[in-house]
């Protein structure tokens, strides 16, 4: 199944008409650079987005990737991924690091717990917060 990513130059939400005839509200995820992204592997939603009147003008296809076969991990690697330690002065610096380095939305980093979870998802451990 192919996963497609769509990009808009601004933060958008729109309604699309699904192949079944029903309307569906779609919100793109805001990025720190002012753009917004939507990634989906839902084929009917992809068709509905590409048939939308704003496709190509309001938002475009950024890329697609095939998720059919995940690559197996080598047997010699440890079960726990290695973590990199990053020294920061406070929660704000940690939030800035995640947003600038990995493109994590700043609005999703409102609490210490959410910052630590996002860091763990990217193999980072913050020191100093």
């Amino acid at each position: 199944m192919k996963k497609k990513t769509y990009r808009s130059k601004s933060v958008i939400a729109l309604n699309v008409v699904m192949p079944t005839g029903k309307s569906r509200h779609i919100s793109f995820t805001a990025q720190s650079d002012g753009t917004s992204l939507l990634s989906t592997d839902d084929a009917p939603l992809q068709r509905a987005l590409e048939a939308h009147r704003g496709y190509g003008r309001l938002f475009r296809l950024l890329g697609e990737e095939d998720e059919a076969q995940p690559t197996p991990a080598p047997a010699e690697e440890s079960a726990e991924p290695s973590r990199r330690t990053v020294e920061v002065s406070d929660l704000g610096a940690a939030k800035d690091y995640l947003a600038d380095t990995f493109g994590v939305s700043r609005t999703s980093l409102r609490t210490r717990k959410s910052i630590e979870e996002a860091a763990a998802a990217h193999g980072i451990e913050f020191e100093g917060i």
Side-chain angles (χ1 to χ4, degrees):
M1 187 175 287
K2 290 192 178 192
K3 182 175 184 179
K4 291 185 177 182
T5 302
Y6 300 90
R7 179 176 185 236
S8 174
K9 291 183 180 180
S10 62
V11 180
I12 62 170
L14 46 95
N15 289 323
V16 295
V17 179
M18 299 299 288
T20 61
K22 292 194 176 201
S23 182
R24 184 168 167 191
H25 186 76
I26 305 298
S27 295
F28 283 51
T29 304
Q31 301 297 301
S32 60
D33 63 353
T35 63
S36 59
L37 297 175
L38 173 71
S39 293
T40 182
D41 59 355
D42 182 358
L45 178 58
Q46 292 171 355
R47 285 193 296 277
L49 285 166
E50 292 169 7
H52 190 272
R53 62 186 167 102
Y55 180 70
R57 196 171 30 90
L58 184 60
F59 62 96
R60 299 175 192 271
L61 179 65
L62 180 63
E64 58 184 85
E65 56 189 60
D66 192 12
E67 295 183 339
Q69 298 177 2
T71 56
E76 61 190 70
E77 285 187 18
S78 65
E80 187 173 319
S82 63
R83 296 216 181 265
R84 188 173 52 145
T85 302
V86 176
E87 189 170 334
V88 293
S89 57
D90 58 7
L91 288 174
K95 184 188 296 188
D96 291 340
Y97 182 85
L98 289 169
D100 296 340
T101 306
F102 301 107
V104 177
S105 172
R106 293 175 195 272
T107 56
S108 68
L109 302 173
R110 293 184 180 181
T111 63
R112 179 185 183 118
K113 181 180 177 186
S114 63
I115 291 171
E116 290 173 346
E117 287 173 353
H122 289 93
I124 300 293
E125 186 175 326
F126 287 119
E127 184 177 298
I129 57 172

